Amino acid sequence: MVVRISVKPTLGIAVVALSFSFLLLLFSFYSPSSQTLLSTTSQQLGEKGIWNVRRMFEWRPCKWWLQGHLPALPAKSNGYIRVDCYGGLNQMRRDLCDGVGIARLLNATLVLPKFEVAAYWNESSGFADIFDVDHFIQQMNGFIRVAKELPPEIASKEPFHVDCRKRKGQFDYVESVLPSLMEHQYISITPAMSQRRDRYPQYAKAALCQACYNALRLTRSIEQKAAELLEAMPKPFLSLHLRFEPDMVAYSQCEYAGLSPSSLKAIEEAQGDRKPWTGELAQIWRKRGKCPLTPSETAFILQALKIPTNTNIYLAAGDGLMEIEGLTSVYTNVVTKSSLLSGEDFRSMHGNTKAALDYYVSVNSDSYVATYFGNMDKMVAAMRAFKGLYKTLFLSRRAFAEFTSKDLKGEELSQALWEAHRDDFVMGKGSALPDCFCEFKL
């Protein structure tokens, strides 16, 4: 039986118009590029804070490396590769991950990496002082060969160093590095800063991802101290990675008004030949997001994001932060590892082991905010995504510079910052890199 419904022409037009309007509204609500979803509820969400905004995308570990079936390792290795890592802990971690991918690409046996930390931290901690070697070797089984000890004929000589600063893709390494590996049988490399991991075959990328997110575990003693620090933190808490040290500000070549005489002196001593940009160039540089946020600017943005001023904040930072009162005068529950830990075992820690504490606490914090997008931030954000922790946000230096250059102030500036950061959070911007993670629509 067919049921026919008779509708008068005028009423029919109204129904069609209403239905069309509803469809438009429905489409705008679910469209990733739409601003309607973001603007219609901004006032209600704003009262709740940034962490209550409904996300549309998340980054999760890709199944092709987490659950993939990898080809078996070739029967014979082409030689041994040692990765020489420089800089801070997370820069060295990044170099090691890249080195693992390169070693697998060239069918080489990985030698435990060399950490060159003396120039950076004035200490001598090595890979085994920070990471659990046995766990690393066990977790890399099937992905790549790892040698805990070298054969006598190899161990008696220094590796042949191959300059990899200009090597980025698969064929760069196969054509330029593999011949040296085959000839010398033992080489050392430092991976280029900007690797083209997308050009690696999947088995090499899988080894890289496994090394970064499953194989690198802190030593038992460092992890115990980090767990003690995490336990001491009042809960819930936000971990804030704040960067405003003299060397960083000097390197940025940015100028700041209103800094204390001691901060200005510290920056001047760190400048060397790097002088700040002036005039129109300084404005262009700042608008490109090149200038670190000050602690007071950071506090202003946190307030704009409706993060309460009584929030427990763990300050993940090294020594030498300038103008910290700009943050602590607004957010009064700020603590550091130095204020929570005591004892000789903590006082004997150096730069890398202390950085490991910051990394551990930041990965396991209830929420994580960074004022920069450096090596630690990329590593922490990705590991949080690996663990299913998505309350992660990077404060936008570019947005802050753009809005303040338009002379926005007070509530108008706060609203503009809220909208910019809310949009980033909704889209999952910065929460992981696409090397080992795939975008998942919620």
Side-chain angles (χ1 to χ4, degrees), residues 87-282:
L89 176 65
N90 292 287
Q91 180 179 333
M92 292 194 294
R93 181 193 293 258
R94 183 207 65 200
D95 285 347
L96 172 59
C97 295
D98 285 331
V100 168
I102 294 165
R104 179 63 185 94
L105 175 68
L106 302 181
N107 182 31
T109 299
L110 185 75
V111 179
L112 292 180
K114 182 180 181 182
F115 278 12
E116 297 282 4
V117 299
Y120 193 87
W121 287 121
N122 192 28
E123 61 163 303
S124 58
S125 58
F127 178 77
D129 297 312
I130 308 294
F131 297 109
D132 185 331
V133 172
D134 292 332
H135 178 80
F136 180 78
I137 294 174
Q138 179 187 20
Q139 289 297 312
M140 295 310 300
N141 184 39
F143 288 87
I144 192 173
R145 293 182 179 89
V146 181
K148 193 171 184 179
E149 295 181 357
L150 289 168
E153 66 274 14
I154 296 292
S156 62
K157 60 182 181 180
E158 279 296 305
F160 179 81
H161 184 72
V162 181
D163 186 355
C164 292
R165 284 175 295 181
K166 296 181 180 179
R167 315 297 174 203
K168 295 184 179 181
Q170 173 182 357
F171 296 108
D172 286 337
Y173 286 104
V174 171
E175 293 174 3
S176 303
V177 181
L178 183 58
S180 295
L181 175 66
M182 300 291 288
E183 178 184 355
H184 298 279
Q185 286 296 293
Y186 181 28
I187 66 173
S188 66
I189 63 169
T190 297
M193 290 289 288
S194 52
Q195 294 292 308
R196 289 302 306 268
R197 304 177 186 91
D198 57 313
R199 298 179 181 177
Y200 291 2
Q202 275 201 347
Y203 61 82
K205 287 195 288 186
L208 182 155
C209 298
Q210 176 73 359
C212 258
Y213 304 110
N214 267 336
L216 287 176
R217 185 173 73 184
L218 297 174
T219 62
R220 180 169 297 181
S221 60
I222 295 178
E223 192 162 284
Q224 284 177 344
K225 183 56 64 176
E228 179 185 334
L229 178 57
L230 182 64
E231 180 65 26
M233 271 301 303
K235 312 293 191 303
F237 74 97
L238 178 152
S239 180
L240 173 65
H241 189 212
L242 179 59
R243 302 295 310 273
F244 199 70
E245 302 92 346
D247 58 340
M248 186 177 192
V249 175
Y251 183 82
S252 74
Q253 296 182 270
C254 297
E255 280 193 315
Y256 295 85
L259 297 184
S260 67
S262 60
S263 295
L264 292 173
K265 181 181 178 182
I267 295 169
E268 185 179 355
E269 290 175 352
Q271 277 174 344
D273 295 331
R274 290 182 176 273
K275 301 303 177 185
W277 297 107
T278 58
E280 186 177 351
L281 285 175

Side-chain angles (χ1 to χ4, degrees), residues 282-291 397-399 401-402:
Q283 291 300 317
I284 293 172
W285 192 246
R286 186 172 290 275
K287 281 183 173 182
R288 288 178 60 191
K290 299 296 185 180
C291 297
R397 294 170 291 165
R398 186 190 293 265
E402 178 186 345

Side-chain angles (χ1 to χ4, degrees), residues 55 57-62 65 197 209 213 368 373-394 424-425 427-440:
R55 298 173 68 89
F57 293 92
E58 287 177 355
W59 290 90
R60 298 179 182 177
C62 299
W65 72 268
R197 304 177 186 91
C209 298
Y213 304 110
Y368 178 73
F373 194 49
N375 290 309
M376 174 171 169
D377 306 312
K378 294 172 185 176
M379 289 291 180
V380 167
M383 186 56 79
R384 286 176 60 80
F386 183 77
K387 298 180 68 169
L389 303 173
Y390 292 101
K391 291 183 178 180
T392 301
L393 191 65
F394 296 95
D424 285 350
F425 187 66
M427 303 304 291
K429 184 177 178 181
S431 59
L433 299 176
D435 303 320
C436 307
F437 293 80
C438 294
E439 195 174 62
F440 181 84

Side-chain angles (χ1 to χ4, degrees), residues 378-418:
K378 294 172 185 176
M379 289 291 180
V380 167
M383 186 56 79
R384 286 176 60 80
F386 183 77
K387 298 180 68 169
L389 303 173
Y390 292 101
K391 291 183 178 180
T392 301
L393 191 65
F394 296 95
L395 302 190
S396 176
R397 294 170 291 165
R398 186 190 293 265
F400 186 83
E402 178 186 345
F403 297 145
T404 52
S405 71
K406 295 177 180 177
D407 206 31
L408 297 187
K409 297 177 182 177
E411 186 55 37
E412 191 177 13
L413 176 59
S414 292
Q415 184 61 26
L417 289 168
W418 161 262

